[in-house]
Amino acid sequence: MDRVQLGQALRARRREAGRTIASVAVDAGLSVPYIANLENARGNPTLSALEQLAAALGARLEVLMSSDDEDPGEQAASDAVRALVASPRAHCDCAVV
């Protein structure tokens, strides 16, 4: 996931939850400008900050390391499925691996 995708995912998750940047910032222990910058594809978040944001948004952070020879299209499709299943609007009695 690149910075633009991360920013879009953070904004979408926050908006789906009906939250403001300020309310997420308080719950995550981060500043409003920091979160706004991440949503706008600026900055370089730490893993700790991403964990705090995920918790504040009622999500779980998953980190995946893959080999250089992995097909990016395959990974993008897998990421899309994970995002769909993780969406608060989705209900699925299945596991995505």
Side-chain angles (χ1 to χ4, degrees):
M1 178 178 282
D2 65 21
R3 288 182 187 164
V4 172
Q5 292 169 323
L6 174 63
Q8 291 170 343
L10 287 172
R11 180 176 285 129
R13 170 80 62 171
R14 178 180 59 76
R15 287 182 174 168
E16 285 174 3
R19 306 274 308 271
T20 63
I21 292 177
S23 72
V24 172
V26 168
D27 288 351
L30 301 169
S31 72
V32 170
Y34 183 79
I35 296 172
N37 281 335
L38 294 179
E39 286 190 3
N40 290 301
R42 294 187 302 266
N44 191 16
T46 64
L47 186 56
S48 176
L50 292 175
E51 288 173 335
Q52 291 168 258
L53 281 168
L57 292 168
R60 184 181 76 242
L61 179 66
E62 292 183 9
V63 177
L64 174 67
M65 296 179 73
S66 59
S67 62
D68 287 339
D69 60 347
E70 185 174 323
D71 179 3
E74 218 174 278
Q75 183 60 44
S78 180
D79 290 345
V81 170
R82 280 191 177 86
L84 176 62
V85 171
S87 168
R89 297 181 193 185
H91 175 74
C92 179
D93 292 327
C94 57
V96 176
V97 290

